[in-house]
Amino acid sequence: MMFVSPRRLRELGIVGMNQRNISLIGDLNPRHLYPLVDNKLKTKLLAAEKGLATPALIGALRTQHDVQGLEPFLEPHDGFAIKPAKGSGGKGILVIAARREEFFVKANGQELTIDEIRRHASNILSGLFSLGGAPDVAVIEELIKPHAAYKNLSVEGVPDIRVIVYRGFPIMSMMRLSTRESDGKANLHQGAIGVGLTISGGRPVNATQFNRRVVEHPDSGADLMSIQIADWPDLLEIAARSADATGLGYLGSDIVVDRRYGPLLLELNARPGLAIQLANNCGLAPRVRAIDDLSPACFRQGPKMRVDRAMSMFD
Ligand SMILES: Nc1ncnc2c1ncn2[C@@H]1O[C@H](COP(=O)(O)OP(=O)(O)O)[C@@H](O)[C@H]1O
Ligand SMILES: [Mg+2]
């Protein structure tokens, strides 16, 4: 573990757990809005209503009876992801990348039988992976096919772009790349790499894995500091619009870029983690203050104007 003194963290403007929980989440995110983002099915419906594109929903399993009837339902789909509606941190997400004869193949080549898929879905319904262990729904989503530009960066999985949006303005972002260790998922706790990206242009500034600095992808050797993100302002605009759609004052908006459909909103988080600061080697506190100092009129502007403003403020 890397150790940095609390004093040094303050100097860097790093926001800690307490500050996040009290001044960001507590003050800006009314509790009644949580269910919208803590449930991936609800988020999808909300996004559709607000005109934000998300990965296509294949279906949702609510009962053991649904689980038994799963096979014909999956028939038309070569690739899909099954996930707990109330999951987080990549827990309980099974990504199937292809079919081979009667098997379902994970990105690492592992073959699963339909019984194993059913067992997984059944575990999801019982709440094994969900917040508080409450019974849950299994969401089945079309497989995201990463854009060619990112294909060799992320090993055995889809990278996503996390954008922290504060009072409607994007203030920090990172790309998360899956690794062999993270099993096709781009979650930092699972071993994915976080590459801090400038708000001004989506250019890489620093990269970490398990909160330690890295410069190349451990599996592919790809140079993390030469990543280029296309259509950067559009991605930030999706993030800014997701803040408007939910009413959350502080949120993490996760976006993927699919090679067929372009940018899609993957999920929203009302309590985004703080490791993004390490990936950026920069704290959130000064950026939060800079937004708070804007004139009231700025907060009434539409998402595009707010993105332009943020891009001019944060490098
Ligand atoms: N439909 C999908 N196709 C391919 N990979 C996916 C899909 N859904 C999720 N993943 C992978 O799993 C990771 C976590 O998914 P996400 O929906 O964000 O759940 P969580 O709340 O657990 O982070 C994503 O970052 C991505 O790498
Ligand atoms: Mg996620």
Side-chain angles (χ1 to χ4, degrees), residues 92-145:
I93 301 190
L94 177 62
V95 182
I96 296 299
R99 312 273 290 245
R100 195 179 300 136
E101 291 152 18
E102 74 270 34
F103 297 106
F104 297 84
V105 191
K106 293 187 13 171
N108 66 7
Q110 193 189 340
E111 293 181 337
L112 302 180
T113 62
I114 182 70
D115 279 339
E116 288 170 305
I117 305 270
R118 281 205 200 94
R119 201 165 316 131
H120 186 80
S122 186
N123 284 337
I124 289 178
L125 296 195
S126 70
L128 192 62
F129 310 108
S130 311
L131 288 171
D136 204 354
V137 169
V139 178
I140 309 181
E141 215 174 62
E142 189 178 356
L143 179 76
I144 299 155
K145 300 195 171 158

Side-chain angles (χ1 to χ4, degrees), residues 15 30 35 61 83 86 97 117 125 128 151-152 159 169 178-181 195 237 257 265 278 309:
V15 170
L61 310 174
K83 55 177 91 171
K86 295 185 208 154
I117 305 270
L125 296 195
L128 192 62
K151 206 171 175 317
N152 295 330
F169 292 82
S178 53
T179 60
R180 207 147 280 153
E181 192 156 0
V195 184
E237 196 181 325
V257 185
L265 179 65
L278 299 176
R309 171 60 64 106

Side-chain angles (χ1 to χ4, degrees), residues 3 23 35 101 293:
F3 182 78
S23 22
E101 291 152 18
D293 286 343

Side-chain angles (χ1 to χ4, degrees), residues 203-270:
R203 288 176 301 274
V205 283
N206 183 55
T208 52
Q209 186 186 28
F210 291 121
N211 294 340
R212 285 194 204 90
R213 187 147 194 269
V214 288
V215 287
E216 54 183 42
H217 195 293
D219 307 320
S220 68
D223 177 9
L224 302 173
M225 290 304 116
S226 63
I227 292 177
Q228 287 184 354
I229 313 279
D231 304 322
W232 184 243
D234 295 343
L235 286 178
L236 293 183
E237 196 181 325
I238 292 175
R241 287 174 58 205
S242 70
D244 295 350
T246 56
L248 291 168
Y250 179 69
L251 87 164
S253 183
D254 292 351
I255 297 161
V256 288
V257 185
D258 184 277
R259 83 171 79 113
R260 300 151 296 174
Y261 313 121
L264 302 172
L265 179 65
L266 182 60
E267 66 148 346
L268 298 172
N269 200 311

Side-chain angles (χ1 to χ4, degrees), residues 120-193:
H120 186 80
S122 186
N123 284 337
I124 289 178
L125 296 195
S126 70
L128 192 62
F129 310 108
S130 311
L131 288 171
D136 204 354
V137 169
V139 178
I140 309 181
E141 215 174 62
E142 189 178 356
L143 179 76
I144 299 155
K145 300 195 171 158
H147 193 275
Y150 311 132
K151 206 171 175 317
N152 295 330
L153 283 174
S154 199
V155 168
E156 299 175 357
V158 184
D160 68 10
I161 293 164
R162 156 71 54 96
V163 182
I164 300 288
V165 187
Y166 175 69
R167 300 180 66 191
F169 292 82
I171 61 168
M172 195 170 277
S173 65
M174 70 174 156
M175 183 172 225
R176 296 183 298 189
L177 306 170
S178 53
T179 60
R180 207 147 280 153
E181 192 156 0
S182 72
D183 191 24
K185 289 168 281 200
N187 299 84
L188 300 186
H189 284 101
Q190 312 262 359
I193 295 169

